[in-house]
Amino acid sequence: MKTIDELLAEGVAGKRVFVRADLNVPLDGTTITDDGRIRAVLPTVKALAEAGARVVVASHLGRPKGAPDPAFSLAPAAARLRELLGADVAFATDTVGESATATVADLADGRVAVVENLRFNAGETSKDDAERGAFADRLAALADVYVGDGFGAVHRKHASVFDLPARLPHYAGYLIATEVGVLKKLTDDVQRPYVVALGGAKVSDKLAVIDQLLGKADRILIGGGMAYTFLKAKGYEIGSSLLQEDQLAAVTEYVERAERTGVELVLPVDAVVAPAFPDLKSKAPADPTAVAADAMPADQMGLDIGPESGTLYASKIADAATVFWNGPMGVFEHPDFAEGTKAVAQALLDSKAFTVVGGGDSAAAVRILGFDENAFGHISTGGGASLEYLEGKTLPGLAALED
C-alpha cells in the first residue's frame, strides 16, 4: 500500500487529488455536534494543499436514498473544514455535475474544494458493478490521483471507496495509514494482558468480533444494551431491558467457550435501572436505581452498568498492556446513565496500556463526557470498520489501495 508520503515525494503541484474523506459528522439541523472526523482528515488535506495540489474532498453523510436531500448536505462540513484550515474551501452543490466540474476546474494550486454528498448519487452505493463503475468513471474525471483517507467507510464496497482507486494512481492518506497501524497492534503484535471492553445496544453487532476475540483476548468485558442478552442467558430477570432473544443460543455458546479456553468473560454484577427509556433532549431526571444484576425488577429496564460493575471493570483494565474499547456501557447521553461509560473511559486513562477507542459512539462519548481525547492512545474514526478488521474480514477500501 503506497502512502501519501510517497505521493508527496513524487510531487503533486498542479495535480487534482481526489481525497475520499469521512466527513460523516453528527448534525443537529445544520450544526455539527462532533467535528472529530473532519479534524482527522486535516493532516492529509493540509499536506496536499501545502504541496500545491488541487484538492477535491468527497464524502458521504448519513443515508440519503440515492438522490439529493438537503438534510444530508455536506455544506456544514465544508464550512467547518474551511474554519479548521483557515483558508477558503470551495463547495460544489453537486457531486459530478456542472457545479462539481466547474468548481474543480476553477481550483488554483494549493486550494481545496468539497463536492456534495456522494450518496446523493445512486451509483455510489449500488450493488450493481456496472452502475457503480459508471459513477466511479464520472468521479475519476475530476482528478488525476486518488488518496483514500475515509477509514470509516473502508468496509463498504462503494464506488468512491472500491471502484475509483482502480481508475487512478492511488495512495493511503495519513489517517488510514495510522488506523491500519493501530489495528495491527490489536491483531498481529498484541502486548498482553489484552483486555477488550464491548458495549452498545445489540449483541448481534458484536457476535463476529467476540467469536474472533475469544481466541485472542485475555479478558472481554461486556456492557451496554447487549449485556442484558448475556444476563438473560444466565437465567436472570432483565425486566424490559433490551433483549435479542434470537441470539441467546449464540451467547450461551460463547460463554461456555470462554470457560473452556480460559478467556475471562466479565459481565455486569449490577445495573442502573429506570421505569422507562429517558428523554435524551430534556435530560429530565429518569428515576434511576442501582440494583444487583440478579435482582432486576420485572417492571424496570437496565440503562447502564452499575457502580460496582464500573469498579470491577476498572480493576480488570488496570494491569492491561493493550485495551480496545468499542461501545458505551449505557445510555451515556443522559446524565443518570453515563457513569458506567465514564468509569471505563477513566480506567483507560489511568491504565499504562496502549489504549484504543473503537470509533462510533465510544469516540462520541469520550468527547461528550469531557475527556481529553489526546490522552488516549488512539481514537478510531470508524467503529464498524474497526470491528470488521478485528473480525478478520477483507475490507474493500483497504484492498483497493493495495498494489
Side-chain angles (χ1 to χ4, degrees):
M1 184 184 295
K2 290 184 178 180
T3 68
I4 187 174
D5 284 331
E6 294 173 84
L7 172 60
L8 293 170
E10 295 167 8
V12 293
K15 291 184 179 179
R16 300 170 302 161
V17 181
F18 187 102
V19 177
R20 201 325 181 168
D22 180 7
L23 308 181
N24 185 29
V25 292
L27 294 172
D28 182 2
T30 59
T31 301
I32 296 171
T33 58
D34 181 358
D35 67 357
R37 285 176 170 165
I38 301 175
R39 288 185 285 110
V41 79
L42 278 179
T44 290
V45 174
K46 278 185 176 180
L48 291 167
E50 288 171 1
R54 302 177 184 186
V55 186
V56 182
V57 180
S59 175
H60 70 287
L61 192 152
R63 295 183 178 180
K65 305 298 184 181
D69 183 338
F72 298 107
S73 175
L74 276 174
R80 182 58 179 149
L81 181 61
R82 184 180 303 120
E83 293 172 354
L84 292 169
L85 283 174
D88 184 52
V89 172
F91 181 65
T93 56
D94 56 31
T95 316
V96 291
E98 292 182 4
S99 178
T101 301
T103 300
V104 173
D106 287 344
L107 274 180
D109 293 0
R111 309 306 287 182
V112 179
V114 174
V115 296
E116 186 56 284
N117 195 331
L118 288 158
R119 292 186 184 173
F120 284 1
N121 306 270
E124 168 68 1
T125 59
S126 175
K127 296 187 184 306
D128 181 82
D129 291 348
E131 185 178 9
R132 246 188 9 259
F135 181 56
D137 288 338
R138 298 185 71 187
L139 291 172
L142 298 174
D144 306 303
V145 181
Y146 177 92
V147 171
D149 215 30
F151 181 74
V154 294
H155 58 315
R156 306 296 187 190
K157 192 176 181 181
H158 292 169
S160 65
V161 175
F162 180 75
D163 302 274
L164 182 56
R167 289 158 167 78
L168 296 169
H170 46 268
Y171 302 81
Y174 289 126
L175 175 60
I176 279 187
T178 298
E179 295 271 16
V180 171
V182 166
L183 288 169
K184 285 183 177 178
K185 290 184 179 180
L186 299 179
T187 52
D188 301 336
D189 185 26
V190 181
Q191 300 299 305
R192 298 184 180 278
Y194 178 21
V195 179
V196 176
L198 296 176
K202 295 182 178 179
V203 68
S204 56
D205 293 341
K206 303 291 196 307
L207 283 179
V209 77
I210 293 172
D211 183 61
Q212 287 292 316
L213 290 169
L214 281 172
K216 295 176 181 176
D218 298 297
R219 296 176 199 135
I220 302 176
L221 319 179
I222 303 293
M226 62 184 284
Y228 302 104
T229 300
F230 278 86
L231 294 176
K232 184 69 172 180
K234 292 186 69 172
Y236 292 178
E237 170 65 58
I238 62 166
S240 56
S241 305
L242 185 63
L243 170 66
Q244 285 191 281
E245 196 162 2
D246 61 335
Q247 303 298 331
L248 285 171
V251 164
T252 300
E253 194 274 327
Y254 285 164
V255 171
E256 294 171 352
R257 211 166 102 206
E259 292 176 356
R260 291 196 308 270
T261 57
V263 176
E264 192 176 358
L265 188 64
V266 186
L267 301 180
V269 294
D270 60 347
V272 179
V273 301
F277 196 84
D279 186 331
L280 299 183
K281 286 193 174 182
S282 71
K283 304 292 194 294
D287 194 19
T289 307
V291 298
D294 60 356
M296 291 179 63
D299 61 347
Q300 303 270 304
M301 66 169 56
L303 295 162
D304 192 15
I305 61 171
E308 291 184 20
S309 299
T311 300
L312 172 64
Y313 286 17
S315 73
K316 298 297 182 181
I317 290 169
D319 67 342
T322 304
V323 183
F324 174 69
W325 170 35
N326 182 283
M329 296 292 106
V331 186
F332 71 92
E333 300 92 339
H334 192 286
D336 287 344
F337 309 106
E339 292 305 314
T341 301
K342 286 181 181 178
V344 168
Q346 188 62 53
L348 264 68
L349 293 183
D350 294 340
S351 169
K352 295 180 180 179
F354 174 62
T355 56
V356 179
V357 180
D361 286 340
S362 311
V366 164
R367 299 182 182 108
I368 290 171
L369 297 177
F371 290 94
D372 178 5
E373 58 190 287
N374 295 317
F376 296 88
H378 179 70
I379 297 182
S380 177
T381 57
S386 295
L387 288 177
E388 291 198 14
Y389 189 101
L390 294 180
E391 290 168 19
K393 291 183 177 179
T394 297
L395 306 188
L398 296 185
L401 294 176
E402 298 288 351
D403 294 315

